[in-house]
Amino acid sequence: WPPPPPCGGGGGGRAPPPPVGPIGAHVRLKQEYSSRAAGVETALGGWPGASAFIAASNADERQLLRLIETHAPKLCSVRILVQQREARFKPAPSRHPDVASVLDAVEVDDDQAFNALLNFYSPEALLIGGLTDARELFKKRVPFVAFDADGMKHYLRGELEASEQTGSHTARGLMRMDSAAVLSGLEQRQAAAEAEAAQAAEEA
């Protein structure tokens, strides 16, 4: 992570504490759920979620953004979530206790990362095998959000039931992703975007 600016000596202010992250570095998928990795990654925000860092306050977020711009401009597109430091949240009881959830499938080794996942993503979502399982849940008429082994999202809200592809069909190894992997991923995404733009220009 970029070094903090010097304090005192006219610099003013305090250096922000190091951010927690990337979030993916703090999440481990349990071996018995390895076949559900694509669904878990999608529920936890995919690439934007796994590569995100966490600041403890809005002031810290602003200072971190300034540090990134100065010392690590390649990270400018990385998401920064604001989640204050506090005790680990207790998730609400599941309305489908007989179906495993994303929280059952992962271990999160940092309380701030755990709380950010609860606030910003869908770790309480259910994990199911596929459309057949989704249809069984639809029959119960109890609201739910679920992700299947192919990363497809299924949900029931009121009278609306739907299934949609929102993430990758296959797992991309986003859990346990460190800062070096984030930088590498950003470079790959930038290269892909430039190649796509070049191709579009040629076809125009």
Side-chain angles (χ1 to χ4, degrees), residues 40-61:
V40 172
E41 289 182 354
T42 303
L44 299 184
W47 163 265
S51 63
F53 288 82
I54 306 169
S57 67
N58 290 322
D60 286 353
E61 177 193 23

PDB file of all heavy atoms in Angstrom, residues 40-61:
ATOM      1  N   VAL A  40     -20.530 -17.985  -5.109  1.00  0.00           N
ATOM      2  CA  VAL A  40     -20.016 -17.230  -3.963  1.00  0.00           C
ATOM      3  C   VAL A  40     -19.357 -15.947  -4.431  1.00  0.00           C
ATOM      4  O   VAL A  40     -19.597 -14.860  -3.875  1.00  0.00           O
ATOM      5  CB  VAL A  40     -19.031 -18.086  -3.148  1.00  0.00           C
ATOM      6  CG1 VAL A  40     -18.342 -17.243  -2.079  1.00  0.00           C
ATOM      7  CG2 VAL A  40     -19.757 -19.263  -2.496  1.00  0.00           C
ATOM      8  N   GLU A  41     -18.508 -16.039  -5.453  1.00  0.00           N
ATOM      9  CA  GLU A  41     -17.834 -14.843  -5.957  1.00  0.00           C
ATOM     10  C   GLU A  41     -18.841 -13.798  -6.442  1.00  0.00           C
ATOM     11  O   GLU A  41     -18.683 -12.599  -6.172  1.00  0.00           O
ATOM     12  CB  GLU A  41     -16.879 -15.212  -7.089  1.00  0.00           C
ATOM     13  CG  GLU A  41     -15.647 -15.965  -6.628  1.00  0.00           C
ATOM     14  CD  GLU A  41     -14.692 -16.287  -7.758  1.00  0.00           C
ATOM     15  OE1 GLU A  41     -15.036 -16.023  -8.940  1.00  0.00           O
ATOM     16  OE2 GLU A  41     -13.600 -16.796  -7.481  1.00  0.00           O
ATOM     17  N   THR A  42     -19.883 -14.249  -7.127  1.00  0.00           N
ATOM     18  CA  THR A  42     -20.890 -13.320  -7.624  1.00  0.00           C
ATOM     19  C   THR A  42     -21.628 -12.658  -6.467  1.00  0.00           C
ATOM     20  O   THR A  42     -21.843 -11.441  -6.462  1.00  0.00           O
ATOM     21  CB  THR A  42     -21.897 -14.042  -8.536  1.00  0.00           C
ATOM     22  OG1 THR A  42     -21.188 -14.667  -9.608  1.00  0.00           O
ATOM     23  CG2 THR A  42     -22.911 -13.069  -9.109  1.00  0.00           C
ATOM     24  N   ALA A  43     -21.999 -13.432  -5.460  1.00  0.00           N
ATOM     25  CA  ALA A  43     -22.719 -12.890  -4.307  1.00  0.00           C
ATOM     26  C   ALA A  43     -21.886 -11.865  -3.552  1.00  0.00           C
ATOM     27  O   ALA A  43     -22.423 -10.909  -2.977  1.00  0.00           O
ATOM     28  CB  ALA A  43     -23.123 -14.023  -3.363  1.00  0.00           C
ATOM     29  N   LEU A  44     -20.568 -12.030  -3.558  1.00  0.00           N
ATOM     30  CA  LEU A  44     -19.674 -11.120  -2.828  1.00  0.00           C
ATOM     31  C   LEU A  44     -19.166  -9.981  -3.702  1.00  0.00           C
ATOM     32  O   LEU A  44     -18.180  -9.329  -3.365  1.00  0.00           O
ATOM     33  CB  LEU A  44     -18.507 -11.910  -2.227  1.00  0.00           C
ATOM     34  CG  LEU A  44     -18.909 -12.985  -1.209  1.00  0.00           C
ATOM     35  CD1 LEU A  44     -17.679 -13.637  -0.608  1.00  0.00           C
ATOM     36  CD2 LEU A  44     -19.793 -12.406  -0.108  1.00  0.00           C
ATOM     37  N   GLY A  45     -19.834  -9.742  -4.810  1.00  0.00           N
ATOM     38  CA  GLY A  45     -19.522  -8.556  -5.596  1.00  0.00           C
ATOM     39  C   GLY A  45     -18.622  -8.763  -6.781  1.00  0.00           C
ATOM     40  O   GLY A  45     -18.245  -7.787  -7.438  1.00  0.00           O
ATOM     41  N   GLY A  46     -18.232 -10.009  -7.068  1.00  0.00           N
ATOM     42  CA  GLY A  46     -17.367 -10.256  -8.206  1.00  0.00           C
ATOM     43  C   GLY A  46     -16.042  -9.527  -8.089  1.00  0.00           C
ATOM     44  O   GLY A  46     -15.533  -9.302  -6.985  1.00  0.00           O
ATOM     45  N   TRP A  47     -15.462  -9.156  -9.222  1.00  0.00           N
ATOM     46  CA  TRP A  47     -14.174  -8.447  -9.202  1.00  0.00           C
ATOM     47  C   TRP A  47     -14.237  -7.142  -8.408  1.00  0.00           C
ATOM     48  O   TRP A  47     -13.369  -6.900  -7.561  1.00  0.00           O
ATOM     49  CB  TRP A  47     -13.696  -8.190 -10.637  1.00  0.00           C
ATOM     50  CG  TRP A  47     -12.623  -7.149 -10.709  1.00  0.00           C
ATOM     51  CD1 TRP A  47     -12.774  -5.821 -10.960  1.00  0.00           C
ATOM     52  CD2 TRP A  47     -11.220  -7.341 -10.456  1.00  0.00           C
ATOM     53  NE1 TRP A  47     -11.564  -5.171 -10.892  1.00  0.00           N
ATOM     54  CE2 TRP A  47     -10.596  -6.079 -10.593  1.00  0.00           C
ATOM     55  CE3 TRP A  47     -10.454  -8.456 -10.137  1.00  0.00           C
ATOM     56  CZ2 TRP A  47      -9.233  -5.905 -10.420  1.00  0.00           C
ATOM     57  CZ3 TRP A  47      -9.078  -8.282  -9.978  1.00  0.00           C
ATOM     58  CH2 TRP A  47      -8.478  -7.020 -10.109  1.00  0.00           C
ATOM     59  N   PRO A  48     -15.235  -6.265  -8.606  1.00  0.00           N
ATOM     60  CA  PRO A  48     -15.257  -5.018  -7.828  1.00  0.00           C
ATOM     61  C   PRO A  48     -15.289  -5.252  -6.322  1.00  0.00           C
ATOM     62  O   PRO A  48     -14.690  -4.493  -5.554  1.00  0.00           O
ATOM     63  CB  PRO A  48     -16.527  -4.318  -8.321  1.00  0.00           C
ATOM     64  CG  PRO A  48     -16.759  -4.875  -9.677  1.00  0.00           C
ATOM     65  CD  PRO A  48     -16.333  -6.320  -9.587  1.00  0.00           C
ATOM     66  N   GLY A  49     -16.008  -6.291  -5.901  1.00  0.00           N
ATOM     67  CA  GLY A  49     -16.081  -6.572  -4.469  1.00  0.00           C
ATOM     68  C   GLY A  49     -14.791  -7.143  -3.922  1.00  0.00           C
ATOM     69  O   GLY A  49     -14.290  -6.706  -2.885  1.00  0.00           O
ATOM     70  N   ALA A  50     -14.226  -8.122  -4.607  1.00  0.00           N
ATOM     71  CA  ALA A  50     -13.013  -8.775  -4.119  1.00  0.00           C
ATOM     72  C   ALA A  50     -11.812  -7.850  -4.129  1.00  0.00           C
ATOM     73  O   ALA A  50     -10.907  -7.972  -3.294  1.00  0.00           O
ATOM     74  CB  ALA A  50     -12.719 -10.017  -4.960  1.00  0.00           C
ATOM     75  N   SER A  51     -11.770  -6.890  -5.060  1.00  0.00           N
ATOM     76  CA  SER A  51     -10.622  -5.988  -5.168  1.00  0.00           C
ATOM     77  C   SER A  51     -10.774  -4.727  -4.333  1.00  0.00           C
ATOM     78  O   SER A  51      -9.863  -3.899  -4.274  1.00  0.00           O
ATOM     79  CB  SER A  51     -10.395  -5.597  -6.634  1.00  0.00           C
ATOM     80  OG  SER A  51     -11.504  -4.872  -7.148  1.00  0.00           O
ATOM     81  N   ALA A  52     -11.926  -4.562  -3.676  1.00  0.00           N
ATOM     82  CA  ALA A  52     -12.191  -3.340  -2.915  1.00  0.00           C
ATOM     83  C   ALA A  52     -11.362  -3.270  -1.637  1.00  0.00           C
ATOM     84  O   ALA A  52     -11.008  -4.283  -1.038  1.00  0.00           O
ATOM     85  CB  ALA A  52     -13.677  -3.261  -2.566  1.00  0.00           C
ATOM     86  N   PHE A  53     -11.071  -2.036  -1.238  1.00  0.00           N
ATOM     87  CA  PHE A  53     -10.434  -1.770   0.047  1.00  0.00           C
ATOM     88  C   PHE A  53     -11.435  -1.073   0.952  1.00  0.00           C
ATOM     89  O   PHE A  53     -12.457  -0.553   0.492  1.00  0.00           O
ATOM     90  CB  PHE A  53      -9.193  -0.890  -0.133  1.00  0.00           C
ATOM     91  CG  PHE A  53      -8.026  -1.611  -0.764  1.00  0.00           C
ATOM     92  CD1 PHE A  53      -7.958  -1.771  -2.134  1.00  0.00           C
ATOM     93  CD2 PHE A  53      -7.015  -2.139   0.017  1.00  0.00           C
ATOM     94  CE1 PHE A  53      -6.902  -2.446  -2.729  1.00  0.00           C
ATOM     95  CE2 PHE A  53      -5.950  -2.817  -0.565  1.00  0.00           C
ATOM     96  CZ  PHE A  53      -5.890  -2.963  -1.941  1.00  0.00           C
ATOM     97  N   ILE A  54     -11.152  -1.063   2.251  1.00  0.00           N
ATOM     98  CA  ILE A  54     -12.097  -0.515   3.227  1.00  0.00           C
ATOM     99  C   ILE A  54     -11.423   0.580   4.037  1.00  0.00           C
ATOM    100  O   ILE A  54     -10.349   0.383   4.617  1.00  0.00           O
ATOM    101  CB  ILE A  54     -12.600  -1.603   4.191  1.00  0.00           C
ATOM    102  CG1 ILE A  54     -13.175  -2.784   3.400  1.00  0.00           C
ATOM    103  CG2 ILE A  54     -13.648  -1.036   5.130  1.00  0.00           C
ATOM    104  CD1 ILE A  54     -13.456  -3.995   4.266  1.00  0.00           C
ATOM    105  N   ALA A  55     -12.061   1.748   4.087  1.00  0.00           N
ATOM    106  CA  ALA A  55     -11.634   2.849   4.948  1.00  0.00           C
ATOM    107  C   ALA A  55     -12.601   2.942   6.119  1.00  0.00           C
ATOM    108  O   ALA A  55     -13.780   2.601   5.995  1.00  0.00           O
ATOM    109  CB  ALA A  55     -11.615   4.156   4.167  1.00  0.00           C
ATOM    110  N   ALA A  56     -12.106   3.430   7.271  1.00  0.00           N
ATOM    111  CA  ALA A  56     -12.926   3.438   8.478  1.00  0.00           C
ATOM    112  C   ALA A  56     -13.869   4.636   8.554  1.00  0.00           C
ATOM    113  O   ALA A  56     -14.787   4.650   9.374  1.00  0.00           O
ATOM    114  CB  ALA A  56     -12.040   3.403   9.717  1.00  0.00           C
ATOM    115  N   SER A  57     -13.660   5.658   7.725  1.00  0.00           N
ATOM    116  CA  SER A  57     -14.501   6.850   7.777  1.00  0.00           C
ATOM    117  C   SER A  57     -14.425   7.571   6.435  1.00  0.00           C
ATOM    118  O   SER A  57     -13.550   7.288   5.611  1.00  0.00           O
ATOM    119  CB  SER A  57     -14.041   7.797   8.894  1.00  0.00           C
ATOM    120  OG  SER A  57     -12.749   8.334   8.579  1.00  0.00           O
ATOM    121  N   ASN A  58     -15.323   8.524   6.235  1.00  0.00           N
ATOM    122  CA  ASN A  58     -15.288   9.305   5.001  1.00  0.00           C
ATOM    123  C   ASN A  58     -14.013  10.134   4.907  1.00  0.00           C
ATOM    124  O   ASN A  58     -13.464  10.319   3.817  1.00  0.00           O
ATOM    125  CB  ASN A  58     -16.513  10.221   4.930  1.00  0.00           C
ATOM    126  CG  ASN A  58     -17.801   9.461   4.708  1.00  0.00           C
ATOM    127  OD1 ASN A  58     -17.835   8.482   3.971  1.00  0.00           O
ATOM    128  ND2 ASN A  58     -18.887   9.903   5.335  1.00  0.00           N
ATOM    129  N   ALA A  59     -13.544  10.623   6.055  1.00  0.00           N
ATOM    130  CA  ALA A  59     -12.293  11.393   6.057  1.00  0.00           C
ATOM    131  C   ALA A  59     -11.124  10.512   5.638  1.00  0.00           C
ATOM    132  O   ALA A  59     -10.265  10.920   4.849  1.00  0.00           O
ATOM    133  CB  ALA A  59     -12.050  11.994   7.443  1.00  0.00           C
ATOM    134  N   ASP A  60     -11.071   9.294   6.177  1.00  0.00           N
ATOM    135  CA  ASP A  60     -10.016   8.364   5.779  1.00  0.00           C
ATOM    136  C   ASP A  60     -10.104   8.031   4.293  1.00  0.00           C
ATOM    137  O   ASP A  60      -9.090   7.908   3.608  1.00  0.00           O
ATOM    138  CB  ASP A  60     -10.100   7.073   6.605  1.00  0.00           C
ATOM    139  CG  ASP A  60      -9.608   7.263   8.026  1.00  0.00           C
ATOM    140  OD1 ASP A  60      -9.078   8.338   8.338  1.00  0.00           O
ATOM    141  OD2 ASP A  60      -9.772   6.329   8.832  1.00  0.00           O
ATOM    142  N   GLU A  61     -11.333   7.873   3.803  1.00  0.00           N
ATOM    143  CA  GLU A  61     -11.513   7.580   2.382  1.00  0.00           C
ATOM    144  C   GLU A  61     -10.927   8.691   1.515  1.00  0.00           C
ATOM    145  O   GLU A  61     -10.201   8.425   0.541  1.00  0.00           O
ATOM    146  CB  GLU A  61     -13.000   7.413   2.064  1.00  0.00           C
ATOM    147  CG  GLU A  61     -13.278   7.173   0.582  1.00  0.00           C
ATOM    148  CD  GLU A  61     -14.749   7.324   0.245  1.00  0.00           C
ATOM    149  OE1 GLU A  61     -15.474   8.012   0.988  1.00  0.00           O
ATOM    150  OE2 GLU A  61     -15.167   6.767  -0.786  1.00  0.00           O
TER     151      GLU A  61
END
